Every structure is written in C-alpha cells, then in structure tokens.
Amino acid sequence: MVIMFSMIALFFAAVIAILYVTLKKTRSFDDYAVASRSFGPWYVAMCYVNSWWPGTVFISFAGLSVTSGVFGFYGLAYSTLGLAFMYFMATRAWRWGKHYGLVTQPDLLKLRYNSKAVGIITSIIGAVAIFPWTVLGMQALATVFHIASEGSWALPVCLVVGLLVVLIRQIWTVQMGMRGLVYTDMFQGIFAYVIAAIVCIWLLVAPSSPANWGDLSHLAGNLIKVPGDGDGYGSLYLFCQVFTGVVGALCWPMSFVRIYTANNIRSVKKSTNYAIIISGVFYALLTLVMIAAAHIPNVAKNPQAGWTTLLQDYGGTWLIGLGLVMIFAGSIGHIDGSVQAAGTQIANDIVDSRKNMSDHQKTVFSKICMIVFVFAAAIAAYFTNGMPRLQLLAQMSYQGIIQISVPLFLGVFFKFGNKFGAIAGMVSGFVLAAALTIAFPDDIPALGSLTSGVVGLVVNLVLYVVVSMATKTGKGEAERVNELFLVASASAPVSDRSTGAVEEPVSLVAMEGSETAAAPSA
C-alpha cells in the first residue's frame, strides 16, 4: 500500500514540478486557449493520443477485450482510421485557425456558416459528448486509489481523493491554459502509452508470463467471434461501432484545440502521423495482452480490473504500482484536456456569443466552467459506478458527437451547404440520437443492430442537404465562402489576423448583423 501510493505521489509531484517550471503568464485568450500556436509535432502528437485514450482504456476497454476477445480490436480500427483522416482535416482547420484566430471547433463552424447559432449548437453538443468521458476518467482515478489502498478505501473516499487530485492539477490548468496541458501531456503520455507498450511486449514474450503470446493460439471460441456472429446482435452492429468511432474521432473538440496549438502546417501533418504510430502500437499491444490473459480465473472474474490483476499476479507490488501510475497518467491527462476544451467552448462560443467579453473575462469564465464541469463529473461518476459495461458510456458519447460531422465534413471540404441546413441537421440528429439512446443504450435490434447515433446521422445528412437546397445561398455569402476556401488552399499564404502580419483578403464579406467574418481573435 505504501509503495503504490508513493509511486503515484512521486509521479504526480513530477507533473506539478513540470507545471511549476514551465509556468508562464498568459498574455491573451489565444495564448490561454491554444498556447499561441507554438508547439512542434511530437508535443501535438502526444496530446492527440492523450485525447484518444484516457486512463479508462486500461479498465473498460481492457475489460472488453477480456470478455469479448477480438471485438476489442474495433478500438484499434477506429482510432487509426480516424487519425489517418484527421491528416486531411487538420491541415485545413489549422489554416483557417491561424488566419482567423480560431481557438475552438465551434469557432470554425461559426466562421464557415456565418452563424453564431451554429457555433452555439456545436459547442453544446461537444460539451455534452465530452461529459461521459470525463466521468470515465473520474472513475478510473477512483479505481486507482481503491487498488492502491488494497480495498480499504470505500468508493466515496476514492472519488473524493480523485476529485482533490484533479482540482490540484486544475490550479495550474486554470492558470496556464493549454500550454501547461501540452507540456504535461508529453510526460504523462510517456508513462501511459510508451512504457505501457513496453510492459505489454514483455508480458507477451516472457516465458513465465501468464499472458504469453502462446496463449493466443488456443483461445475460447467466444473470444474469436465478433458481435453479429451467431449471438444476439445483428449484422450491422460491428459496422456501426467502427463507423461511429471513425467519424466521431474527427469531431472531438479536444482534437481541434490540439490542432490549433501547432506552430505550422508541417507540424500538423507530422503530428497526425506520429499519433497514428503511438496510438496504434499501444492499443494493439494492450488488446493482445488482455485477450491472452482472458483464461486467468481472477482476470475473467473481474474483467475491468484485469490489467491490474495481471500485473499483480506477475510482478507483485512494484509492477502493479507502475500499472496504477499508467492509469493515473492517462486519466488526469484526458480529464484535463476534456475539461479545458469544455470550459473554453462554453466561454468562447456560448457566453461570448450573447455578450461580447474581453479576453480577461473569457479567461475567467472559462476557469469557472472548468471547475463546475469537474464537480459534476465526480458526482456522475459516483452514481454510475459499478456499471457492468463501462465502455457503453464511451459509446453513448459517440452517438452525440458524430452529429457534428455532417456540417463539419461537408462544410470544410465542400462549398455546398448553409447555416439553415447545418442547424436543422445537427439539432434533429442530436435530439433523435439522444432519444433513441435512452430507449436503446447499446443497439436497436429491430434495425439490424443499428445504433442510435447512426440513425440520427442519416436524418442529419438528409436535412442538411434538403434544407440547404431549399434555402438558397446569396451571392455575397457565396463570395465569402469562396474566400474561405482560397485561404484553406495549399497555395495560399497563411496570415495571422491577431498580429496583422499579413493583410486579410479585402473582398471578404462581413457577417450579417453583429456577426463578423472571423471568430474572436486574441
């Protein structure tokens, strides 16, 4: 118990030390929200991975691999494909972000569709979808302290301690904004993904390991089947999980904030490539280890504690302590990223759209939102603890976040579509997906195991196209969109409106009413 807590405390002290050493007073909201777009590819890549795989990957997703075998690889499929597609999305998003001073994902959609309403709706959907992941992060922290205390701490105590840790970490997140998060993501990521991958390799190749590579050659029949292969699921379930994951991976607000921290286009492109390698290798190895460990009685008895059970059985106190540090590192990194993205969006895209605030006011309000968000997640974590399939919380969040994809993808890559289509599609798709998720948390059997998000997405797409066609785009708006795509083109020079280094296009048409062509710049 003392050893495990000492290892966690030492790691956390190192995180605080990094924050203390790199503490730098923010000069503007742009500096606070996206670190003045100053980071290179490795920093951005590790931030990507930390937004992809929280600490709960060692709990809920590891447990899924123990109980469902090869189905656990669906996470590998959607994460690598999602990051591969992000390569193309990120370049265009960064160019618009740099030129127009964008700091959030809703900023981008607000700019593209010339509408504050589109930005507000996108921000609300993003914050709601982030929340379940934050809850999972809080549960992962509670699990860390429960195991470290050897079961002597009750759940409420573990959640309170986890909340205190997050709040201590938030002292620096609130002060430093994105800059502190990027620095610590690199350190935390080394433990959560790089060292974890090395441990997984050792478990697979060590002759005395209870989860040796050889155990994969004689798996139980149920572990080599996927949903829809003779069980209660329909044939479309696996497709929906991978498809929803790929689409949703491109829509997370945390990813866009990280894109905007890159210092140039080259860093944006390199970071996505590096993230694919880090994420893919780590998750593949973890999944293989947990499938190989499925035959161990104690692991099979409690799959969601399978990772720590395996490490304790094989390596004792020191190895399980290292495993807890991995979960701890992934959890606080992901919680920080989620909370920072949610707080920034609420301040920048919801409150500021109703009442124009100064940079200082937005920064203060963003900090308040972060604290409230963390407390709400801790409360929800208490009431959802003990769910038999924790990964359902993550799957549910994807049903909502993918509703942003229609106006995002079509708006970024095609000039077709307007704000009326974007609003009608997102609102209808999200409301339908939410209603169906309440009735069918996992799948809809009558529709071949389609998931609620996919059904909502179809309605979303149809309304986007039909409404956009029915409400024609005026000549002035068409010219404005043409200018946006000119800025996004690879041949166009990238200017920074916040510094005035390059003059913006003179024919850019101002937004209607009180809206402006550019999102608030620092």
Side-chain angles (χ1 to χ4, degrees):
M1 178 173 166
V2 174
I3 292 175
M4 289 185 283
F5 272 120
S6 297
M7 294 175 72
I8 295 170
L10 183 62
F11 175 83
F12 191 49
V15 171
I16 299 302
I18 292 171
L19 290 167
Y20 182 79
V21 170
T22 58
L23 180 61
K24 181 180 179 181
K25 186 176 181 180
T26 54
R27 300 182 302 273
S28 63
F29 190 69
D30 181 84
D31 190 28
Y32 183 79
V34 293
S36 295
R37 311 173 206 279
S38 57
F39 284 97
W42 280 111
Y43 281 102
V44 178
M46 197 61 86
C47 277
Y48 267 145
V49 180
N50 223 324
S51 70
W52 240 261
W53 298 126
T56 192
V57 71
F58 296 100
I59 300 172
S60 56
F61 283 85
L64 175 66
S65 297
V66 171
T67 57
S68 302
V70 295
F71 177 54
F73 281 110
Y74 95 93
L76 176 65
Y78 84 68
S79 63
T80 51
L81 286 173
L83 281 166
F85 286 121
M86 180 62 81
Y87 180 91
F88 303 100
M89 174 76 72
T91 300
R92 189 159 294 208
W94 187 88
R95 282 182 168 272
W96 279 348
K98 177 70 173 179
H99 186 79
Y100 296 106
L102 310 182
V103 297
T104 64
Q105 179 196 65
D107 261 353
L108 185 146
L109 287 172
K110 181 167 56 178
L111 169 69
R112 167 59 179 86
Y113 292 100
N114 195 15
S115 170
K116 289 183 178 180
V118 170
I120 292 172
I121 294 169
T122 305
S123 184
I124 293 173
I125 292 175
V128 171
I130 288 172
F131 190 72
W133 282 102
T134 311
V135 172
L136 285 171
M138 296 301 299
Q139 289 181 336
L141 280 181
T143 299
V144 166
F145 293 115
H146 181 72
I147 295 173
S149 68
E150 298 178 348
S152 61
W153 289 8
L155 172 64
V157 176
C158 294
L159 282 172
V160 170
V161 174
L163 178 61
L164 290 175
V165 167
V166 172
L167 290 177
I168 292 172
R169 175 64 179 82
Q170 287 296 307
I171 292 173
W172 278 270
T173 300
V174 165
Q175 288 187 65
M176 298 178 67
M178 195 64 187
R179 190 180 303 278
L181 190 147
V182 174
Y183 281 126
T184 53
D185 267 358
M186 174 60 77
F187 177 69
Q188 291 160 179
I190 290 172
F191 278 84
Y193 315 113
V194 179
I195 295 179
I198 294 172
V199 170
C200 286
I201 292 173
W202 177 251
L203 288 170
L204 288 170
V205 302
S208 59
S209 170
N212 188 272
W213 182 270
D215 293 312
L216 296 171
S217 62
H218 44 80
L219 297 175
N222 64 303
L223 298 180
I224 56 176
K225 293 182 179 181
V226 295
D229 187 12
D231 55 13
Y233 287 106
S235 58
L236 296 175
Y237 185 75
L238 180 59
F239 162 77
C240 287
Q241 295 305 320
V242 176
F243 174 77
T244 302
V246 172
V247 174
L250 299 171
C251 298
W252 287 111
M254 298 88 77
S255 298
F256 278 79
V257 174
R258 284 156 170 78
I259 290 171
Y260 294 146
T261 63
N263 53 15
N264 54 48
I265 287 291
R266 186 179 181 85
S267 292
V268 172
K269 292 181 177 180
K270 281 188 174 182
S271 66
T272 53
N273 291 331
Y274 296 162
I276 290 173
I277 297 172
I278 298 170
S279 175
V281 171
F282 157 72
Y283 188 84
L285 288 170
L286 178 65
T287 304
L288 286 171
V289 166
M290 298 317 299
I291 294 175
H295 71 281
I296 303 172
N298 287 339
V299 172
K301 182 180 179 181
N302 188 0
Q304 292 180 10
W307 172 249
T308 52
T309 299
L310 173 63
L311 296 183
Q312 185 174 35
D313 289 349
Y314 180 62
T317 302
W318 288 99
L319 189 57
I320 189 177
L322 181 59
L324 292 178
V325 168
M326 297 170 190
I327 302 174
F328 184 82
S331 297
I332 60 174
H334 192 271
I335 290 172
D336 284 339
S338 299
V339 170
Q340 198 272 346
T344 301
Q345 285 196 176
I346 293 171
N348 186 71
D349 305 304
I350 297 178
V351 178
D352 188 57
S353 66
R354 304 294 300 272
K355 178 184 178 182
N356 290 329
M357 296 189 294
S358 65
D359 272 10
H360 175 71
Q361 290 174 321
K362 281 194 289 186
T363 302
V364 171
F365 197 86
S366 178
K367 295 174 181 179
I368 295 172
C369 291
M370 290 179 192
I371 295 173
V372 173
F373 202 81
V374 168
F375 271 102
I379 294 171
Y382 175 80
F383 287 104
T384 57
N385 185 69
M387 282 183 62
R389 296 174 61 192
L390 276 177
Q391 88 280 357
L392 280 179
L393 282 177
Q395 291 173 2
M396 289 178 189
S397 70
Y398 271 93
Q399 312 310 322
I401 200 66
I402 63 173
Q403 305 310 321
I404 297 175
S405 66
V406 172
L408 178 61
F409 298 172
L410 297 184
V412 167
F413 293 108
F414 302 97
K415 298 178 182 179
F416 171 79
N418 58 31
K419 62 183 179 181
F420 302 108
I423 293 171
M426 278 196 296
V427 172
S428 300
F430 184 76
V431 170
L432 179 60
L436 288 175
T437 298
I438 294 173
F440 305 98
D442 197 358
D443 67 318
I444 306 175
L447 299 179
S449 286
L450 280 176
T451 56
S452 58
V454 174
V455 176
L457 192 64
V458 172
V459 173
N460 187 341
L461 176 60
V462 170
L463 285 176
Y464 178 88
V465 173
V466 171
V467 174
S468 293
M469 292 178 66
T471 53
K472 300 296 183 181
T473 300
K475 182 179 178 181
E477 176 65 9
E479 290 177 355
R480 191 189 68 85
V481 172
N482 285 335
E483 295 262 4
L484 290 178
F485 276 77
L486 177 62
V487 171
S489 65
S491 59
V494 181
S495 62
D496 188 341
R497 185 172 294 185
S498 65
T499 63
V502 178
E503 205 172 295
E504 62 188 76
V506 294
S507 59
L508 195 64
V509 180
M511 287 188 175
E512 300 170 359
S514 62
E515 299 175 358
T516 59
S521 60

